Amino acid sequence: ELLKQTIRQLPNIQLRGARGLDFSQCYPQPAFDIDSVLFDLNYFKYCFLKATEVDFHELKLEADFRLLAKDLTNADDPQGFLYRDFQARNVMLNSEGRPFFIDFQGGRKGPYYYDLASFLWQASAKYPYKVRRELVYEYYNAMKQFAEVPSPHHFVDRLSLFVLFRQLQVLGAYGFRGYFERKLHFIESIPPAMQNIRELLDERNFPYPYLTDIL
């Protein structure tokens, strides 16, 4: 029930919270763009993929990265406040037991799919498929209060793209904190993140053949 309450509140901060917000004040950058996507994908490449010693062709991987970055920054996606680090440990409960949010200092203008992917596919949370599906449904219905929503099929397709990106992004972070800084928590988080990717690749065919092969 708390998860449902939390996910229903997310569109509130993303869309209502974005009204009148001066995004030029966001730090370190005002918007989710191709450069920020490529930065995160290269973080995955250098801090995770190279550390695993998997052999790969740099230019082929880079070509898929650029295609993915272009797809993620599709101008047709509705824009709002992108929280960026929306995960369970950044949800607090007030004295009445209602959720409120902290730690949004990396926020910027961007597509709302990102935060939903961050929360529901958080590797260490290990939410079961049924729970994820139910919470996506709750979010989709809550979003209708604030904006027109795309068809369910289009919504799920776009969401899956952001889930893929978010998993690559967190593997980059886990690789840096785990392989290089030797922090056990992050090393232990790698297998569930990889499992998320396995399940995603089983469900979806992505138009990035070389990246898919490497994964």
Side-chain angles (χ1 to χ4, degrees), residues 121 129 132 160 198-206:
W121 277 265
Y129 173 81
R132 276 194 197 131
S160 66
R198 283 190 197 97
E199 291 170 3
L200 190 62
L201 295 180
D202 284 343
E203 293 169 12
R204 300 265 160 191
N205 289 317
F206 292 99

Side-chain angles (χ1 to χ4, degrees), residues 7 119 129 138 143 154 157 173 203 207:
I7 217 69
F119 190 81
Y129 173 81
E138 291 283 346
M143 179 63 72
H154 179 81
D157 269 357
E203 293 169 12

Side-chain angles (χ1 to χ4, degrees), residues 70-79 158:
K70 183 181 175 185
D71 289 343
L72 285 165
T73 53
N74 186 328
D76 294 336
D77 280 338
Q79 303 288 300
R158 292 299 295 164

Side-chain angles (χ1 to χ4, degrees), residues 28-192:
Q29 62 186 84
F32 179 81
D33 58 15
I34 284 182
D35 287 342
S36 63
V37 173
L38 289 174
F39 177 88
D40 285 334
L41 291 174
N42 281 315
Y43 194 41
F44 161 74
K45 178 170 71 174
Y46 290 112
C47 292
F48 181 79
L49 196 55
K50 281 186 177 288
T52 65
E53 299 183 356
V54 171
D55 189 35
F56 64 91
H57 192 290
E58 196 108 16
L59 290 178
K60 287 182 180 178
L61 187 62
E62 188 66 26
D64 273 1
F65 277 178
R66 291 189 176 278
L67 186 57
L68 175 57
K70 183 181 175 185
D71 289 343
L72 285 165
T73 53
N74 186 328
D76 294 336
D77 280 338
Q79 303 288 300
F81 178 71
L82 191 159
Y83 195 105
R84 188 163 170 86
D85 197 19
F86 192 70
Q87 55 178 308
R89 67 180 174 192
N90 289 335
V91 180
M92 303 287 112
L93 297 178
N94 66 15
S95 59
E96 297 170 343
R98 293 177 183 166
F100 69 97
F101 307 147
I102 63 166
D103 197 9
F104 41 83
Q105 79 275 16
R108 62 198 66 180
K109 186 177 184 179
Y112 53 61
Y113 299 102
Y114 183 104
D115 292 327
L116 186 61
S118 297
F119 190 81
L120 295 184
W121 277 265
Q122 180 187 338
S124 57
K126 300 178 185 175
Y127 297 126
Y129 173 81
K130 185 180 177 184
V131 171
R132 276 194 197 131
R133 185 173 177 175
E134 198 173 336
L135 292 173
V136 168
Y137 178 79
E138 291 283 346
Y139 177 87
Y140 183 80
N141 284 328
M143 179 63 72
K144 292 176 183 176
Q145 300 175 49
F146 304 100
E148 282 191 40
V149 293
S151 70
H153 178 76
H154 179 81
F155 183 90
V156 170
D157 269 357
R158 292 299 295 164
L159 176 59
S160 66
L161 203 59
F162 282 86
V163 173
L164 175 65
F165 172 59
R166 180 64 177 172
Q167 294 310 302
L168 300 181
Q169 186 185 43
V170 297
L171 282 174
Y174 294 165
F176 180 72
R177 301 292 185 195
Y179 292 148
F180 295 98
E181 294 187 344
R182 310 304 301 168
K183 292 181 178 176
L184 185 61
H185 166 71
F186 292 98
I187 293 174
E188 290 172 345
S189 297
I190 290 172

